[in-house]
């Protein structure tokens, strides 16, 4: 039952889209199991450059079934936009299935996201304001509206009327904004129903059946471990680690055979919250400009820093990473020296694991190891042994520090700009 999970091992934006697009060639099913359209996966292939937010990056392979699992929160307008944009580039979302159990991001969630951020003031999370957090809140508060509710106009109106009565009280009394109208929402969602109904399936059953038939299933994680609600830098978090797969898709944890941890060769973060190896100097600018480190979803400049091996080892342990995909390696090509954060120093003691408290992590000082740079372009290299010695040393040192073997090194956005090290699929 070969399921392979692709997990972000830092603060998101590690380049998971490219890795999924690459591996999807050899699998039968690709599944998104968490997050929402806060995610932004950039894929560059023979069809062009795409920014995927909800649709699994396997969609470019015509024989691959792509599933948006029940663990994802879906903004129907955004999903339709993505389906239409793909169509314009000649890609039909013929094999796209949406879980009937997935929750909807409703217009009031998007409103709430903005209003809550404003209310947080200087303690704002820096969310993408796409309504993802409020939709997940309502899911656990049992106030959510699901895709299966959308399918029947009568049931949808009943459910929405019940929920909206409460939501409108919050909007008008707490935030002093105009209430939303049930009729208007029903009208908008009638259009979504018509267009999305053909894609809806019991996707958990489809995934389990595929696994029992021995077909290969690739699980496309969104965001990163340090943004996980439990294991990340709470409260500056969203979702989800590899353990979320069972909940977000409906398969047993034992189905996962491999966990590929995607790590950028340096580190970035977008939004608020602690980041011990963040740089505020020329190196930061160089990383941002060379790596085009601007948010795929919001366009915000990403915060940049050196590879954080404390985060790296922690993420590898939490997710049970079996192999590392080291991405954007070529971005480091011009640096005279490169640094790796090997530990944190806090009030005179050394930390090898990130503390749970974001307040403490904020005060952690990075302990660096400095290595010579390779100052040679690597974007055309396709074999590990052809990398300059200093670059190989850097790869090896990361393997040692996070105690996990590297499976591939990515040296550019295109599929072929990949150095395979160990077979994944
Ligand atoms: P939300 O998911 O929009 O609620 O945002 C919560 C935090 O997660 C913010 O710091 C966002 O910038 C961050 N975040 C959400 N999605 C992504 C992503 O795909 N990549 C990187 N950061 C993300």
């Amino acid at each position: 039952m070969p399921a392979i999970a692709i997990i972000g091992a830092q603060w998101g934006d590690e380049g998971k889209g490219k890795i999924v697009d690459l591996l999807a060639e050899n699998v039968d099913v690709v599944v998104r199991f968490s997050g929402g359209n806060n995610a932004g996966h950039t894929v560059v292939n023979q069809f062009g450059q795409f920014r995927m937010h909800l649709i699994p990056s396997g969609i470019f392979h015509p024989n691959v079934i792509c599933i948006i699992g029940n663990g994802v929160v879906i903004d129907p307008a955004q999903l339709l936009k993505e389906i239409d944009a793909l169509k314009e580039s000649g890609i039909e979302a013929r094999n796209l299935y949406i879980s009937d159990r997935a929750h909807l991001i409703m217009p009031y969630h998007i409103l709430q996201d903005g209003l809550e951020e404003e209310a947080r003031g200087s303690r704002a999370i820096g969310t993408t304001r796409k309504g993802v957090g409020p939709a997940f809140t309502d899911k656990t508060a049992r106030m959510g509206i699901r895709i299966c509710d959308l399918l029947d106009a009568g049931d949808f109106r009943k459910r929405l009327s019940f929920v909206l009565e409460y939501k409108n009280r919050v909007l008008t009394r707490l935030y002093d904004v105009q209430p939303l109208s049930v009729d208007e929402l029903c009208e908008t969602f009638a259009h979504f129903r018509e267009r999305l109904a053909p894609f809806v399936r019991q996707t958990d059953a489809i995934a389990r059946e595929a696994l029992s038939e021995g077909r290969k299933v690739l699980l496309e994680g969104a965001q990163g471990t340090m943004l996980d609600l439990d294991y990340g830098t709470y409260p500056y978090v969203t979702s989800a680690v590899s353990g979320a797969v069972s909940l977000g898709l409906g398969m047993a944890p034992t189905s996962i055979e491999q966990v590929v941890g995607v790590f950028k060769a340096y580190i970035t973060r977008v939004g608020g919250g602690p980041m011990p190896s963040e740089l505020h100097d020329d190196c930061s600018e160089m990383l941002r400009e060379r790596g085009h480190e601007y948010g795929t979803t919001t366009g915000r400049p990403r915060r940049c820093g050196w590879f954080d091996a404390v985060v790296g080892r922690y993420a590898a342990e939490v997710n049970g990473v079996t192999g590392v995909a080291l991405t954007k390696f070529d971005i480091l090509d011009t640096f005279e020296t490169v640094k790796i954060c090997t530990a944190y120093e806090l009030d005179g003691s050394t930390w090898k694991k990130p503390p749970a408290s974001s307040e403490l992590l904020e005060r952690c000082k990075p302990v660096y190891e400095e290595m010579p740079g390779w100052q040679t372009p690597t974007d055309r290299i396709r074999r590990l042994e052809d990398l300059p010695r200093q670059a190989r040393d850097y790869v090896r040192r990361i393997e040692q520090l996070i105690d996990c073997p590297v499976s591939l090194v990515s040296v550019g956005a295109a599929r072929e700009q990949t150095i395979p090290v160990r077979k994944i699929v």
Side-chain angles (χ1 to χ4, degrees), residues 11-13 38-40 125-129 223 227 237-238 270-271 300:
W11 273 287
D13 308 316
N38 50 354
I125 294 167
T127 73
T128 57
R129 300 192 180 212
Q223 289 83 37
L227 287 171
V237 291
T238 182
V270 61
R300 291 177 289 178

Side-chain angles (χ1 to χ4, degrees), residues 11-14 16 36-41 113 117 125-134 222-224 227 235-239 268-273 297-298 300 302:
W11 273 287
D13 308 316
E14 298 92 351
K16 294 178 290 291
N37 61 308
N38 50 354
H41 294 170
D113 203 347
E117 275 290 86
I125 294 167
T127 73
T128 57
R129 300 192 180 212
K130 303 287 180 195
V132 172
Q223 289 83 37
L227 287 171
Y236 304 94
V237 291
T238 182
S239 55
T268 62
R269 171 165 206 175
V270 61
T297 302
T298 59
R300 291 177 289 178
R302 294 180 186 142

Side-chain angles (χ1 to χ4, degrees), residues 69-88:
N70 55 276
V72 179
V73 286
I74 299 176
D75 178 335
Q78 288 308 311
L79 178 55
L80 287 170
K81 235 194 220 171
E82 223 168 297
I83 291 172
D84 292 343
L86 283 173
K87 195 169 179 175
E88 269 173 36

Side-chain angles (χ1 to χ4, degrees), residues 42-58:
T42 306
V43 178
V44 181
N45 55 31
Q46 74 268 35
F47 305 105
Q49 176 166 342
F50 299 87
R51 293 198 160 90
M52 313 296 290
H53 298 287
L54 273 169
I55 298 180
S57 309

